[in-house]
Amino acid sequence: MEAIPLSQAKAGGYYKIVSVRKNGSGLLERLAAFGITKGDQLRLTQKYPAFVVKVGETVLALDLEYANAITVTSSN
Amino acid sequence: MADRKTKVFLVGNPNVGKSVIFNQLTGRYTTIANYPGTTITLAKGELELPSGRYEVIDTPGLSLLTSSSDEGEVTRKLLRENEGIVVQIADAKNLLRSLLLTLQLLEGGFRPILVINMCDEAQKIGMKIDAPLLQARLGIPVVTTVAVQGIGMDLLKKRIDTLGVPSLPLPPTRGGEKDSKSLAKSLLQGVVTERQAKDFLLEKMGTWCSHPVWGWFIVAAALELLYLFVGKLGAGMLVDFVENQIFGKTISPGAIWLLDHLLLFSKSQGIQLIHDAFVGPYGLITMGLSYGVAIVLPIVTTFFIAFSLMEDSGYLPRLAVMVDRLFRSIGLNGKAVLPMVLGLGCDTMATLTTRILETRKQRLITTLLLALAVPCSAQLGILLGMFGRMPFWTFGVWLLVIVSVLMLVGFASSRILSGEHQGFLMELPPLRRPKLSNVVKKTLARLEWYIKEAIPLFLLGTFLLFLLDAFHLLESLQKLASPLVVSLLGLPAEAANAFLIGFLRRDYGATGFFDMYHHGELSQVQALVALVVITLFVPCVANVFIVVKEHGLKVALRMVSFIFPFAFFVGGILHWIF
């Protein structure tokens, strides 16, 4: 499966982080602070009203802007 | 040598229980919360052990030593410039994340004591942690604890006691991110074993709280509970009790009696003045203290309890998820819901909490909105009481106006102020049953702040009012304000008095209108206009002071000079419409 932005992923699915676009808001660093880096598996639990992902035991909420900046591929 | 206390630095991610451990070690309270940025100042306390006295320092929650955030800066500076013992506190459920920090500390030449806290929660989800194995692999002391129950604290104290030579700080070397992560993973191999046992109900509830549909029902339910608890119990029963039973029957008459007997031996004006300053109509005791202690304190206490419950249960971040999109349009993101909700309790304290927002622009917008349109619990109590006795449409209009003002001013300021939109990223901690001890500690910490910071300012405000009255300036000010009040707002001239007092005492302003309406001096429309204006009116003395402290005098003046005319402007429009 090709890489897509997290914002286009299906809710309930399992994905692997391929890349995180570097933008001004320092998303990469903020994710790293939670111990989350490229290659990590996540589960997208919901997309509205905000995106919620689960990486290991950590549950994070993020908005559309950040979801656009994270590229994932399907992992099963 | 007797004076020199060895320093103990508590470092760790936010949300791991640093403040609880600080409290366990030193007996002092700090603001205990689950989101970054709430350990606002460095808390310091003392710990006495057989080997001597230690100064325990609680640092702001940070994730990585190398992070460029304020917290990272503060902690790096602290560790670099001071010799001491580093105690790193980690969350048992998130050991991998914490281990990254441990590795950074080790790279930096520190030898931390690693505390694995919240082991009870890890156990609940079926995790087992082999601490001795980790200790052997890392070469540093590892202690498992359940801080809120005091478990493991004695062992921690023993470890601090026997650590010996404090670590010498060295400049941290750069390590690749990828390498640290795999190193951490391999270190944890076999240390952490998981079973899949989970608390399904709480996890389900957590999902509902951020659900696009059910989430809103839960918000409504939370608001209703908040109203019942703070409005009925706090504003209703408690205030009644403290104000009437304690102050009305005992303290005020007691003070009056005392001062009457002490001072009225002389008919001199000076003595009379002193007497009135304390127990006169604008007296420090009869008005100032009774306001701060009898009216605001019970209400604010119930609010703090309710807020602490929402905080400790992990609900607040989910509330942030629900409102994030809404907040986008006013230049903020979901995180700002925290100070905004706290503002319903006390705007002054909420303004302090804006520090958790990442950009200055967000902090400014939130501060402005708090000062302008978020009524604090004391005010809200009286407002709701009044609306209870007026037809429902008046409440509807008031609500509509306030929310519109919020959105409009927020939108406008987000355009005017420079700065980019800050993306929303927030951790959702597991929904948990709030721990009574935590709730009590958080509430007490907030109350302590309130008593130390807000009450003196209420006393100051009352004293200013007293001076104004003593020098007969109150009446002249009323005359000056008349044209504004009468022609623009369509209110009787006496209303100016209520506004004047409302400047220094929010609730008295609203109460003044309540009296007037009660005595038929105000029509429904007039009462509505008055209440809208008093809600939007300049913030109370304590709030203004905090804004000056946080953003400087210029910003505070600019805000006040906008809010003041704007409130009257909106009132004028309402008057014109109705």
Side-chain angles (χ1 to χ4, degrees):
Chain A
M1 183 196 143
E2 58 166 76
I4 54 167
L6 183 65
S7 47
Q8 289 173 18
K10 272 218 189 86
Y14 291 86
Y15 299 92
K16 188 165 98 156
I17 301 178
V18 169
S19 69
V20 175
R21 198 192 328 140
K22 273 196 196 275
N23 60 359
S25 299
L27 175 61
L28 199 60
E29 192 191 80
R30 295 179 79 184
L31 287 177
F34 288 110
I36 298 174
T37 53
K38 266 189 258 189
D40 281 343
Q41 313 260 46
L42 63 83
R43 178 160 191 235
L44 179 60
T45 54
Q46 70 182 78
K47 295 170 77 164
Y48 304 101
F51 287 79
V52 176
V53 298
K54 192 163 183 203
V55 184
E57 283 304 320
T58 307
V59 179
L60 288 182
L62 53 153
D63 62 6
L64 183 61
E65 184 188 323
Y66 277 165
N68 277 331
I70 302 175
T71 321
V72 298
T73 56
S74 174
S75 82
N76 278 303
Chain B
M1 242 353 206
D3 259 4
R4 262 229 318 185
K5 284 183 274 189
T6 312
K7 299 200 163 101
V8 176
F9 298 103
L10 300 182
V11 298
N13 298 342
N15 248 337
V16 298
K18 266 189 297 93
S19 299
V20 180
I21 291 188
F22 178 83
N23 176 254
Q24 289 275 1
L25 291 177
T26 63
R28 292 194 55 210
Y29 301 123
T30 56
T31 313
I32 306 162
N34 308 347
Y35 38 84
T38 47
T39 303
I40 297 167
T41 50
L42 289 177
K44 298 189 181 163
E46 258 194 38
L47 170 65
E48 193 148 347
L49 293 173
S51 58
R53 281 170 155 208
Y54 294 84
E55 186 180 27
V56 183
I57 301 170
D58 188 9
T59 67
L62 90 168
S63 309
L64 292 176
L65 218 50
T66 49
S67 89
S68 55
S69 66
D70 284 339
E71 292 100 356
E73 276 291 335
V74 170
T75 308
R76 268 200 303 280
K77 192 162 184 270
L78 207 57
L79 294 179
R80 240 198 308 263
E81 296 176 1
N82 292 284
E83 229 175 67
I85 296 175
V86 177
V87 173
Q88 185 203 345
I89 300 161
D91 175 4
K93 303 187 304 299
N94 275 308
L95 221 42
L96 182 63
R97 192 204 303 187
S98 299
L99 223 55
L100 295 177
L101 179 56
T102 317
L103 291 174
Q104 282 192 330
L105 287 168
L106 288 170
E107 265 176 41
F110 298 100
R111 286 197 71 240
I113 298 174
L114 180 62
V115 173
I116 303 180
N117 193 25
M118 308 205 275
C119 291
D120 54 340
E121 291 185 6
Q123 211 176 33
K124 275 212 194 98
I125 59 174
M127 276 183 157
K128 279 170 77 175
I129 300 182
D130 190 350
L133 178 58
L134 190 59
Q135 180 169 297
R137 284 188 181 163
L138 286 176
I140 56 176
V142 175
V143 180
T144 52
T145 62
V146 181
V148 285
Q149 293 173 22
I151 298 177
M153 297 313 302
D154 286 330
L155 183 56
L156 174 60
K157 287 183 190 168
K158 211 167 118 186
R159 289 278 183 264
I160 296 175
D161 204 15
T162 58
L163 193 64
V165 182
S167 342
L168 295 166
L170 293 173
T173 52
R174 292 215 65 227
E177 249 164 46
K178 246 315 172 47
D179 302 326
S180 313
K181 186 109 177 256
S182 4
L183 179 58
K185 276 199 180 135
S186 60
L187 281 170
L188 283 182
Q189 281 281 3
V191 171
V192 180
T193 42
E194 299 187 40
R195 271 185 303 125
Q196 280 315 306
K198 280 185 189 274
D199 195 334
F200 280 120
L201 180 63
L202 277 179
E203 211 179 309
K204 272 268 154 195
M205 281 170 65
T207 319
W208 295 336
C209 287
S210 50
H211 191 269
V213 176
W214 304 124
W216 288 112
F217 283 99
I218 295 186
V219 171
L223 283 176
E224 178 68 18
L225 284 172
L226 192 67
Y227 165 67
L228 285 176
F229 188 61
V230 181
K232 294 273 147 128
L233 179 66
M237 288 171 45
L238 285 181
V239 170
D240 225 26
F241 178 67
V242 182
E243 186 179 19
N244 297 327
Q245 303 298 324
I246 299 187
F247 266 83
K249 294 218 173 110
T250 318
I251 299 191
S252 289
I256 295 176
W257 180 90
L258 187 70
L259 283 166
D260 275 351
H261 279 77
L262 273 181
L263 296 176
L264 286 189
F265 57 84
S266 151
K267 292 285 178 173
S268 86
Q269 266 229 306
I271 298 288
Q272 186 73 20
L273 224 64
I274 298 179
H275 171 269
D276 281 347
F278 281 95
V279 293
Y282 298 106
L284 283 174
I285 296 181
T286 42
M287 194 195 198
L289 209 60
S290 79
Y291 173 61
V293 176
I295 299 183
V296 185
L297 190 64
I299 299 181
V300 140
T301 304
T302 45
F303 185 87
F304 286 160
I305 294 176
F307 191 79
S308 304
L309 279 170
M310 287 202 286
E311 220 179 15
D312 208 52
S313 62
Y315 177 64
L316 282 181
R318 288 165 172 86
L319 183 61
V321 165
M322 299 306 299
V323 301
D324 177 57
R325 279 186 195 225
L326 255 158
F327 276 35
R328 264 190 148 249
S329 52
I330 55 178
L332 303 170
N333 65 37
K335 231 177 173 185
V337 83
L338 268 38
M340 295 288 249
V341 172
L342 192 55
L344 290 174
C346 176
D347 279 319
T348 310
M349 169 159 271
T351 308
L352 266 182
T353 312
T354 57
R355 289 188 195 187
I356 66 166
L357 301 174
E358 291 101 357
T359 65
R360 182 161 184 265
K361 174 179 170 181
Q362 285 179 306
R363 291 196 281 266
L364 280 174
I365 297 179
T366 312
T367 304
L368 176 63
L369 292 179
L370 283 171
L372 175 67
V374 179
C376 67
S377 54
Q379 221 186 331
L380 209 51
I382 305 214
L383 283 173
L384 291 176
M386 245 181 110
F387 280 120
R389 295 172 208 236
M390 301 204 310
F392 189 73
W393 68 268
T394 54
F395 178 63
V397 173
W398 174 86
L399 194 62
L400 187 67
V401 171
I402 300 298
V403 173
S404 319
V405 164
L406 227 106
M407 303 299 289
L408 228 98
V409 173
F411 179 73
S413 11
S414 73
R415 286 302 164 111
I416 296 174
L417 290 173
S418 62
E420 300 244 322
H421 172 81
Q422 178 73 355
F424 176 59
L425 180 70
M426 204 170 176
E427 183 181 6
L428 301 184
L431 211 59
R432 53 167 83 92
R433 204 167 288 137
K435 293 200 169 83
L436 187 64
S437 55
N438 268 357
V439 172
V440 168
K441 285 180 182 157
K442 290 185 208 202
T443 305
L444 283 177
R446 292 197 163 108
L447 275 181
E448 184 185 332
W449 175 91
Y450 171 77
I451 294 177
K452 278 202 199 139
E453 305 276 340
I455 293 202
L457 287 169
F458 292 140
L459 291 175
L460 180 68
T462 307
F463 188 62
L464 282 174
L465 268 180
F466 164 73
L467 285 177
L468 281 176
D469 179 58
F471 292 115
H472 304 290
L473 287 174
L474 219 51
E475 297 139 36
S476 0
L477 279 175
Q478 207 180 330
K479 287 207 190 96
L480 269 173
S482 273
L484 212 63
V485 172
V486 177
S487 42
L488 187 60
L489 301 180
L491 300 171
E494 293 77 44
N497 207 20
F499 281 121
L500 214 59
I501 297 191
F503 178 51
L504 289 159
R505 295 274 313 265
R506 295 298 247 154
D507 77 322
Y508 260 49
T511 315
F513 293 123
F514 185 61
D515 280 337
M516 290 174 73
Y517 178 70
H518 211 48
H519 293 120
E521 292 166 34
L522 283 178
S523 72
Q524 278 171 7
V525 172
Q526 287 180 315
L528 174 64
V529 172
L531 290 181
V532 166
V533 176
I534 199 83
T535 306
L536 296 177
F537 207 43
V538 285
C540 76
V541 170
N543 200 354
V544 176
F545 189 67
I546 283 287
V547 177
V548 172
K549 244 183 164 184
E550 291 287 300
H551 298 287
L553 187 60
K554 264 210 290 192
V555 171
L557 283 176
R558 279 202 205 128
M559 282 194 186
V560 172
S561 53
F562 164 68
I563 296 177
F564 185 70
F566 185 74
F568 279 93
F569 174 65
V570 173
I573 294 189
L574 267 183
H575 172 221
W576 180 73
I577 295 180
F578 290 98

